[in-house]
Amino acid sequence: MDLVKNLVNDLQVLKTIWFSKISGDSHKERLENFYGPQADAYDHFRAKFLHGRRGMIKACAKKINNLGERPGLVWVDLGGGTGENVDMMAEYVDLSKFEKIYVVDLCGPLCEVSKKKAQTRGWKNVEVVEADVCEFQPESKPATLVTFSYSLSTVDKALSYLDQAVGILGVADFYTSMKYDSPERQHGYLTRWFWRAIFDMDNIELGPERRLYLDHTLERVYEENNAGGIPYVPFLKVPYFVWLGRVRHLEAANGI
């Protein structure tokens, strides 16, 4: 029965991704129109689709573990949706190392899933915040770690938050390259055109501009470029990347 239920849920998600028309006057309304119908099935489908997320979480966890027993760590997961990133981080880091974990998302239905997960898991230091990620700031102290897991490409005015980065920034997302890019990132014309056109229908921006701004604003410490399959869609593989950076000279100052 679970197999049948998961299949039905996955097909509902695929239907929303490929065939539903997104409506709404505001960014929040469009997000909830798109993600609301698939909120309860989100984690199961995305586990087979968001290929770079675990790699990004593992790389960030290594940085956090290298800090030893430093007190007062704060993690802000921007566009954190259902809180699945926190669940995954718990496999590599004792979550009690963080004084506070903020899961920030503008989509109400996804935040509700995250709140239920935090209550079920007993995450006392996790706060789910329904807010625009570009306007959110931690209440107590600057973030040690900020993550965008397949959310940087969906956020309006995302670059404004990057200007405020003070710690480690981890990103996993889909992408397309520039026309002339570094060899490890380079895509041909058809790849660039096809994936930008496909994701544009879901209000997801895969252009290279945001990634270039990451490289311009922060010091890159880790990068991975790859492509992964789409559940139930044979032959096609969508490009994705994992990227970690820090404020320049942060390692010398803070040991990160």
Side-chain angles (χ1 to χ4, degrees):
M1 289 299 293
D2 285 343
L3 181 62
V4 174
K5 180 181 178 181
N6 288 335
L7 178 61
V8 171
N9 287 338
D10 285 351
L11 292 178
Q12 173 62 39
V13 173
L14 274 176
K15 178 184 176 183
T16 302
I17 292 175
W18 289 96
F19 302 111
S20 294
K21 183 179 180 180
I22 301 175
S23 60
D25 295 328
S26 68
H27 185 50
K28 178 178 176 61
E29 289 173 350
R30 291 189 291 270
L31 283 174
E32 294 186 344
N33 178 261
F34 180 67
Y35 289 109
Q38 49 177 308
D40 291 332
Y42 186 93
D43 287 340
H44 182 265
F45 183 86
R46 263 44 179 214
K48 299 174 287 186
F49 186 34
L50 306 185
H51 303 283
R53 176 167 61 178
R54 182 171 292 275
M56 184 269 286
I57 292 294
K58 286 178 68 175
C60 290
K62 183 177 179 180
K63 289 291 183 182
I64 293 299
N65 284 325
N66 285 345
L67 296 178
E69 300 302 319
R70 178 180 298 184
L73 302 183
V74 175
W75 173 22
V76 179
D77 189 25
L78 295 173
T82 64
E84 188 67 10
N85 295 333
V86 181
D87 220 6
M88 194 173 291
M89 181 70 82
E91 299 178 29
Y92 306 104
V93 173
D94 182 351
L95 295 182
S96 66
K97 289 174 70 73
F98 294 101
E99 179 179 308
K100 194 75 173 181
I101 300 172
Y102 295 96
V103 178
V104 186
D105 205 288
L106 191 57
C107 180
L110 295 184
C111 285
E112 288 304 312
V113 174
S114 187
K115 289 175 183 177
K116 292 176 183 177
K117 190 175 294 182
Q119 184 176 19
T120 301
R121 304 288 196 274
W123 295 335
K124 303 299 184 183
N125 57 341
V126 174
E127 180 178 346
V128 180
V129 182
E130 185 176 332
D132 187 333
V133 303
C134 295
E135 298 176 357
F136 176 79
Q137 290 293 333
E139 292 181 358
S140 54
K141 58 185 68 176
T144 314
L145 171 67
V146 175
T147 50
F148 284 94
S149 177
Y150 289 86
S151 55
L152 187 62
S153 57
T154 69
V155 177
D156 288 346
K157 302 177 182 177
L159 301 186
S160 63
Y161 199 94
L162 302 182
D163 289 332
Q164 306 171 41
V166 294
I168 288 289
L169 181 73
V171 180
D173 217 325
F174 304 116
Y175 85 103
T176 57
S177 72
M178 296 188 297
K179 183 175 182 179
Y180 302 106
D181 214 324
S182 57
E184 64 273 14
R185 298 182 181 182
Q186 188 67 60
H187 297 140
Y189 169 77
L190 287 178
T191 297
R192 299 196 311 273
W193 170 82
F194 178 77
W195 288 117
R196 290 194 71 168
I198 289 294
F199 278 87
D200 183 70
M201 292 188 292
D202 293 332
N203 294 323
I204 298 173
E205 175 54 60
L206 294 200
E209 297 80 12
R210 300 183 187 202
R211 193 172 184 187
L212 289 172
Y213 199 73
L214 287 172
D215 285 328
H216 171 73
T217 307
L218 302 171
E219 178 186 3
R220 185 192 338 150
V221 297
Y222 177 79
E223 176 178 354
E224 174 189 343
N225 302 279
N226 213 324
I230 304 171
Y232 310 106
V233 180
F235 308 119
L236 288 179
K237 289 190 174 184
V238 58
Y240 70 88
F241 75 99
V242 176
W243 191 97
L244 257 68
R246 63 184 173 220
V247 176
R248 300 184 192 280
H249 311 304
L250 181 65
E251 183 175 29
N254 296 322
I256 295 180

